[in-house]
Amino acid sequence: MKVYADNAATTKLSKTALDAMMPYLTDTFGNASSLYDIGQQAHRGVKAARETVAEVINARADEVYFTSGGSEADNWAIKGVAEMMAKKGKKHIITSAFEHHAVLHTVKRLEELFGCEITYLPVYENGIVRPDDVKNAIRDDTALVTIMYANNEIGTIQPISEIGAICREKGVIFHTDAVQAVGHLPIDVKAQNIDMLSMSSHKFHGPKGIGALYIRKGIRIPNLIEGGAQESGRRAGTEAVYAMAGMAAALKEANENLESSMKKMTALRNRLIDGLLKIESSRLNGDRENRLPGNVNISFEGVEGESLLLYLDMKGVSASSGSACTSGSLDPSHVLLAIGLKHEVAHGSLRLTLCEDNTQEEIDYIIDCVPEIIERLRSMSPLWERIQKERGNV
C-alpha cells in the first residue's frame, strides 16, 4: 500500500486547481499588464483570483498581495514593518521560540540590519503561546508581534484572536504566519484583529510557487521587490496568472468543504494518535485537542527519526520527522526542544500529516507498520538498551 502522510510539507494539486490553471497556460497566456485583449483577459483572471482569496479570509481585495509563497510573505511582512518602524525609533520585535525558520531567520537578520531587539516567547509543554506573555512583553518601542497561527511541526493552534486583540489595544502591528492554517481552519482577519497574514498555495492543494500576504488597509510597508507596477506597485514581477488562478480555486474549494474536511481529518487523526500511543515509551508532542485536524507528531524513545522514516518509506508510507525546510539538518527540531524535549527524544520524532483524501484503511496500515519498525530499531539501539538498563528492565 502507498500512503502519503506528509501534507504539511506539500499537498497534491487538486483537479479543481489544475482545471482553473489550464486556460492561462494555453490560450489565455498574455501578460496581465498588457493593454490588448489577451492581456486584459489575463488581468481579469488576476482580479478574480485576488477577490476569491480575499473573500475566504474576510479581507478586501486590495489588501491581498500575491507572492512566491509563504516564506516571501513572511520576509516582506517582517522586514517591511521593521524598516518602517525603525525610522520611528521602534526596534523591538516579539515572536515565539518555535516559529518557522522563515520568521526566525528573518528576525535574526534584522538584529544585524537595524539593531532590532528580539523577544522569543516560550511555548511551554503544550506548544501554545500564552496571551498574557504577549501582553507583558509589549513595550513602548515594540514594532511588531509575529506569532504563527498553527505550528508546522506539532500542529498546535495559537490563540490568535486573543493576541490580535491585545496588539490592537496596544497599537502594535500583529503579523501571523498562517501557512499551515489557511484552507484548514476558519479565518477572519477582521474579527481576529490580524494586521498581516502569510499563506502558501501548496499547503491546500494549490500549485507551488505562489502565496499571498494580507496587509490591512492603512499599513504601508516598504516594497520587498522593486522593478515594476504589479500588485499595485508593491511587489514587482510579471504575474503568474495560472498559479494565482490555481491558488484561488484550491482555496475556494477547501473553504467550501472546510467543515466536513475538519470533521473527517480530526477523526482520522485521533484514531492514529490512539493507535501509536500504545507503543511503549511514546509521547504525543503538543496539545491533544488544540491542534490542526490532520497533524500527528509523536516521539519514540530509543529511536532515530531518520531511520524510522526510511523504514516507513520501504513500507510505502511517506512521512517526516519535522519541517521539510530543514530535512537536511542533523540537529534536533527547534520546535521539540522549545516544548521541553531532551535532544535524544526529539531525535526520535515522527510527523504524520493527513488530508481529506486519506482513508481509515491507510490509518490502520500505518498503525500496523510503525510498531514493528520501532521494535526492530530498538533492538539495534544502544540508546534503548541504556534506557532499559536505567529502568531495570535488563
Side-chain angles (χ1 to χ4, degrees):
M1 179 181 287
K2 292 286 186 181
V3 182
Y4 184 75
D6 199 19
N7 287 278
T10 196
T11 55
K12 180 182 179 181
L13 184 70
S14 72
K15 186 179 185 303
T16 300
L18 180 60
D19 289 345
M21 295 165 66
M22 288 307 295
Y24 301 103
L25 288 166
T26 52
D27 297 333
T28 314
F29 59 84
N31 189 315
S33 297
S34 300
L35 295 178
Y36 42 76
D37 183 60
I38 195 171
Q40 287 303 295
Q41 290 180 46
H43 176 76
R44 287 192 288 273
V46 173
K47 182 175 182 291
R50 195 185 317 280
E51 289 172 350
T52 297
V53 172
E55 183 179 359
V56 170
I57 63 171
N58 192 29
R60 294 168 37 144
D62 60 0
E63 295 175 314
V64 172
Y65 300 87
F66 287 109
T67 66
S68 64
S71 292
E72 183 191 322
D74 285 343
N75 271 259
W76 186 11
I78 296 168
K79 290 179 178 178
V81 171
E83 182 180 343
M84 176 179 69
M85 300 305 287
K87 296 174 183 177
K88 301 178 181 180
K90 295 190 174 186
K91 297 185 178 183
H92 177 231
I93 296 174
I94 299 169
T95 190
S96 80
F98 76 162
E99 298 289 314
H100 190 278
H101 282 126
V103 170
L104 293 179
H105 290 177
T106 300
V107 297
K108 181 66 175 177
R109 179 65 174 148
L110 290 174
E111 287 186 294
E112 304 166 2
L113 288 174
F114 300 115
C116 290
E117 182 183 346
I118 315 300
T119 295
Y120 298 93
L121 298 178
V123 292
Y124 305 96
E125 185 179 3
N126 66 352
I128 297 176
V129 174
R130 295 176 184 172
D132 280 348
D133 287 348
V134 177
K135 186 175 183 178
N136 293 334
I138 292 176
R139 311 183 320 207
D140 289 341
D141 64 340
T142 300
L144 174 71
V145 172
T146 175
I147 302 291
M148 67 194 333
Y149 204 115
N151 186 266
N152 53 300
E153 291 192 28
I154 62 174
T156 48
I157 302 168
Q158 305 308 309
I160 295 300
S161 296
E162 293 90 333
I163 294 171
I166 290 168
C167 291
R168 188 63 55 87
E169 179 187 351
K170 298 287 187 179
V172 175
I173 295 174
F174 175 44
H175 164 256
T176 183
D177 174 347
V179 166
Q180 293 292 336
V182 172
H184 304 287
L185 297 172
I187 292 174
D188 185 328
V189 294
K190 304 301 184 190
Q192 294 175 287
N193 292 307
I194 297 170
D195 295 312
M196 309 176 79
L197 177 145
S198 304
M199 67 180 82
S200 185
S201 166
H202 74 105
K203 305 298 187 180
F204 48 80
H205 302 288
K208 297 177 180 66
I210 185 75
L213 176 64
Y214 157 74
I215 307 175
R216 182 172 61 82
K217 196 73 174 177
I219 297 177
R220 187 76 188 184
I221 60 174
N223 298 343
L224 182 67
I225 300 175
E226 305 286 354
Q230 295 86 359
E231 297 302 297
S232 301
R234 301 184 74 174
R235 197 271 186 187
T238 301
E239 297 95 337
V241 186
Y242 68 94
M244 296 172 181
M247 174 180 178
L251 183 55
K252 181 180 180 181
E253 182 176 46
N255 191 58
E256 289 173 345
N257 299 320
L258 189 59
E259 186 176 347
S260 60
S261 294
M262 289 177 65
K263 183 177 180 180
K264 177 183 178 180
M265 285 191 288
T266 299
L268 292 177
R269 178 200 73 189
N270 290 342
R271 185 181 184 90
L272 184 54
I273 290 173
D274 290 338
L276 295 182
L277 286 181
K278 292 177 182 177
I279 298 172
E280 180 185 359
S281 298
S282 60
R283 58 156 286 161
L284 177 68
N285 297 315
D287 191 85
R288 172 71 191 247
E289 301 299 329
N290 197 22
R291 65 192 303 128
L292 289 168
N295 179 285
V296 176
N297 189 303
I298 293 182
S299 292
F300 304 96
E301 289 189 66
V303 169
E304 282 290 334
E306 289 77 8
S307 300
L308 175 55
L309 295 182
L310 290 173
Y311 276 103
L312 279 172
D313 186 42
M314 287 189 282
K315 294 279 191 178
V317 178
S318 299
S320 71
S321 58
S323 171
C325 302
T326 57
S327 60
S329 173
L330 295 178
D331 295 329
S333 161
H334 73 285
V335 172
L336 299 183
L337 296 182
I339 62 173
L341 267 66
K342 297 178 180 178
H343 278 64
E344 58 268 25
V345 179
H347 268 301
S349 67
L350 172 65
R351 183 184 73 171
L352 297 155
T353 46
L354 314 173
C355 78
E356 58 277 3
D357 294 332
N358 288 116
T359 65
Q360 184 173 307
E361 182 184 13
E362 291 176 336
I363 298 305
D364 291 342
Y365 179 71
I366 295 173
I367 293 171
D368 287 340
C369 288
V370 174
E372 64 179 70
I373 295 173
I374 296 295
E375 183 178 1
R376 181 171 184 177
L377 291 174
R378 283 175 172 171
S379 70
M380 302 181 288
S381 170
L383 174 59
W384 180 245
E385 184 179 357
R386 190 193 76 195
I387 292 171
Q388 293 297 85
K389 285 182 179 179
E390 290 173 352
R391 293 174 178 170
N393 295 333
V394 176

